[in-house]
Amino acid sequence: MTPLKALWNHLTATQVAPPLWLVVLSGFAALAVVAYPISWHYSRGLITIAHEGGHALVAVLTRRKLRGIRLHSDTSGVTLTRGRPTGPGMVATAAAGYVAPSLIGLSAAWLVADGRITLLLWAVLALLTCMLLMIRNVFGAVSLLVVGGAVFALSWFAPPDVQSAGAYAAAWFLLLGGVRPILELQAKRRVGHAPDSDADQLARLTHVPGTLWVLLFLLVSTASLVYGGYLLASRWLPM
């Protein structure tokens, strides 16, 4: 067997599903992290990484020039692109951020439900590496290195049951954590504290009210949470 074939077999190998109690426990743990203000303050940066990664990926797919990504210690971030200031590419890039964590969480849930834990962990490492190449500030680089190091350690050193627990917890966290920033966004917009948010930029680009964009974000994230939760529990649901 060639090394490339062996690597592919390793990445695509399936792992035995953990017990149901571990899946439920990981979900409640993720919910506690998202719901508790202090833990959310420290973990929200992971959602920001997914948010800015969504902007960056769609910018590349729509052939906008990606100039760089910045992640800040207050859990905010910015993705800089160059290209037409209007048009479908700009709209898609602006719309991608708030739905990216939920859609990544849904993809993670699909892989986890299929037992592809190793493939999920290495896919995350690949995405983090691509983002690291475009980071333009020290805090952002350190953040990605820390997260990437943790994912690598989980994939390389942890036993299979620990990997499964970590993968389920990560999927739950992305699905649940993708909803809260959207609710926070609308709360800020209601009092006029987010005049340049993604929703307001989209309103200026499309002449569709920003509130409708927020509702679209919320619809996507809620649907992802419901279906992703179903996927994560599907092995134990009656057929």
Side-chain angles (χ1 to χ4, degrees):
M1 183 180 297
T2 64
L4 187 60
K5 180 67 174 178
L7 176 61
W8 177 251
N9 289 341
H10 175 69
L11 292 178
T12 57
T14 58
Q15 294 180 218
V16 177
L20 178 59
W21 67 264
L22 185 58
V23 177
V24 174
L25 181 62
S26 65
F28 277 110
L31 178 61
V33 170
V34 172
Y36 189 55
I38 295 178
S39 57
W40 174 243
H41 172 75
Y42 287 105
S43 63
R44 194 184 192 281
L46 298 173
I47 299 298
T48 302
I49 291 174
H51 179 115
E52 300 304 331
H55 282 312
L57 177 61
V58 174
V60 171
L61 292 177
T62 57
R63 298 187 178 183
R64 295 184 62 80
K65 185 172 180 59
L66 183 59
R67 297 175 57 190
I69 303 169
R70 291 179 177 269
L71 303 172
H72 303 133
S73 58
D74 63 354
T75 72
S76 66
V78 61
T79 298
L80 303 173
T81 66
R82 185 168 60 195
R84 288 183 56 193
T86 59
M90 185 63 200
V91 171
T93 299
Y98 275 99
V99 298
S102 296
L103 294 178
I104 295 173
L106 180 58
S107 301
W110 177 70
L111 288 173
V112 167
D114 198 37
R116 312 287 182 176
I117 305 298
T118 303
L119 182 59
L120 169 62
L121 295 176
W122 281 69
V124 171
L125 283 173
L127 292 173
L128 291 173
T129 301
C130 292
M131 283 190 70
L132 184 60
L133 297 176
M134 297 307 302
I135 285 291
R136 296 295 182 263
N137 67 326
V138 174
F139 180 84
V142 171
S143 299
L144 290 182
L145 288 172
V146 170
V147 175
V151 174
F152 176 78
L154 180 65
S155 67
W156 197 258
F157 300 110
D161 55 343
V162 176
Q163 290 183 9
S164 294
Y168 272 90
W172 279 119
F173 175 75
L174 288 167
L175 290 169
L176 292 164
V179 177
R180 180 162 178 172
I182 301 171
L183 301 176
E184 294 174 342
L185 169 64
Q186 186 57 23
K188 291 179 180 178
R189 293 183 69 252
R190 192 177 296 116
V191 294
H193 288 174
D196 294 319
S197 70
D198 292 352
D200 292 283
Q201 292 181 45
L202 286 164
R204 291 191 287 269
L205 286 167
T206 64
H207 305 294
V208 175
T211 301
L212 291 183
W213 282 106
V214 175
L215 289 175
L216 177 61
F217 297 160
L218 189 59
L219 177 63
V220 172
S221 65
T222 302
S224 297
L225 173 58
V226 172
Y227 188 52
Y230 166 77
L231 289 174
L232 292 173
S234 59
R235 293 193 181 190
W236 297 271
L237 295 175
M239 301 300 292

